Amino acid sequence: MTKISATDAYEFVAADRPTPLILLCDHASNAVPAEYAALGLPQAQFERHIGYDIGARDLTLGLAARLGAAAVLSRFSRLLIDPNRGLDDPTLIMRISDGAAVPGNRDVDEAERQRRIARFHAPYHGAIAETVAGVKGQGLTPLLVSIHSFTPVWRGWPRPWHVGILWDRDEKVARAMIDGFLAQGDLVVGDNEPYHGALEGDTLNTHGTKPGVPHALIEVRQDLIAAKTGVDDWVERVARVIEPIMNDLR
């Protein structure tokens, strides 16, 4: 049975068997605590991609259950503070996101920045580090797989990829994933598309690249996982790709 625990900053899914796989979901939630008064934004803005990665949480939880893996998922909107950014990144707390001004972020001072880091960003990353250490403590090599989603259209341009694999310096896991998705025969697969995986200070740079832990980021197009039927399909698609990589690391 999947066991889920939660704090303000993250959900944690415990693995139900010894496994190298750790699933991450940086943008799982569009929640903002009540005291932040929705950052001055209407709810409709939080339903967009600027608030969270549509479908990513359900896909991550489905994969955790399907593969018996641990998972760490954020419980706060990226508009409050982005856990997939380094602490010195100017986009850590966004004042404008895809054309939407964020009133609650306009006058954030250093004290408030540090409060958000301490309450949300740091505990999320602490949970990842603790989970990685736990897998290593079992004598296994951790495999970090971060689950994201991307918009079907960006600035008027339809994006052709069904799924993209993002990576930085170590392409071994990424290449295996790209080949695995291509082998399914009906997918357009991006290699560092629609984004590039090299981002200093982001989650996988911090917990994967720098310490030398095998990792890759999977971006699924949002319209493919916005409904349960799509999520169920992609749980199976992604699981078929990840399982051989997991087995190689056991």
Side-chain angles (χ1 to χ4, degrees):
M1 176 181 288
T2 301
K3 295 181 180 179
I4 301 178
S5 58
T7 71
D8 276 357
Y10 63 87
E11 286 181 276
F12 175 71
V13 179
D16 63 12
R17 68 197 78 162
T19 175
L21 179 61
I22 302 169
L23 296 162
L24 307 178
C25 192
D26 296 322
H27 302 140
S29 175
N30 61 0
V32 173
E35 64 262 35
Y36 283 96
L39 300 172
L41 291 169
Q43 183 59 33
Q45 294 289 13
F46 289 96
E47 302 303 325
R48 299 174 58 209
H49 67 279
I50 65 172
Y52 73 127
D53 277 2
I54 295 166
R57 177 178 182 271
D58 290 340
L59 178 55
T60 303
L61 292 177
L63 286 167
R66 168 72 169 75
L67 298 171
V72 183
L73 307 90
S74 71
R75 295 192 72 216
F76 55 92
S77 174
R78 69 203 301 177
L79 290 173
L80 186 68
I81 186 168
D82 194 333
N84 195 34
R85 295 294 184 270
L87 297 181
D88 59 352
D89 192 309
T91 65
L92 179 68
I93 298 175
M94 295 285 284
R95 288 172 170 79
I96 299 176
S97 183
D98 192 19
V102 186
N105 291 344
R106 183 179 55 210
D107 298 319
V108 168
D109 59 14
E110 183 59 22
E112 174 57 24
R113 179 177 173 276
Q114 291 301 325
R115 275 193 291 271
R116 295 189 195 185
I117 290 169
R119 183 174 174 184
F120 303 103
H121 193 283
Y124 175 72
H125 284 277
I128 296 172
E130 184 177 344
T131 306
V132 170
V135 169
K136 289 181 175 179
Q138 298 174 35
L140 298 171
T141 299
L143 170 63
L144 290 174
V145 177
S146 188
I147 304 297
H148 289 248
S149 67
F150 64 93
T151 57
V153 177
W154 180 248
R155 296 180 179 175
W157 182 62
R159 287 164 154 173
W161 310 282
H162 298 96
V163 60
I165 305 301
L166 278 56
W167 57 280
D168 186 2
R169 300 172 209 164
D170 181 3
E171 68 174 312
K172 183 177 180 181
V173 172
R175 184 57 52 196
M177 287 186 175
I178 292 167
D179 292 345
F181 282 119
L182 287 173
Q184 294 181 20
D186 58 347
L187 299 176
V188 179
V189 183
D191 179 354
N192 270 329
E193 298 282 2
Y195 311 107
H196 199 283
L199 181 60
E200 185 71 24
D202 73 356
T203 298
L204 287 184
N205 177 264
T206 299
H207 300 281
T209 301
K210 288 179 178 176
V213 173
H215 64 280
L217 189 153
I218 298 176
E219 288 262 7
V220 181
R221 207 174 65 207
Q222 288 172 356
D223 58 311
L224 302 175
I225 54 174
K228 185 178 185 305
T229 52
V231 170
D232 291 344
D233 177 44
W234 276 87
V235 165
E236 291 307 311
R237 285 183 179 274
V238 177
R240 292 202 303 270
V241 168
I242 291 177
E243 280 183 308
I245 301 170
M246 288 171 55
N247 292 334
D248 286 345
L249 290 173
R250 288 186 192 277

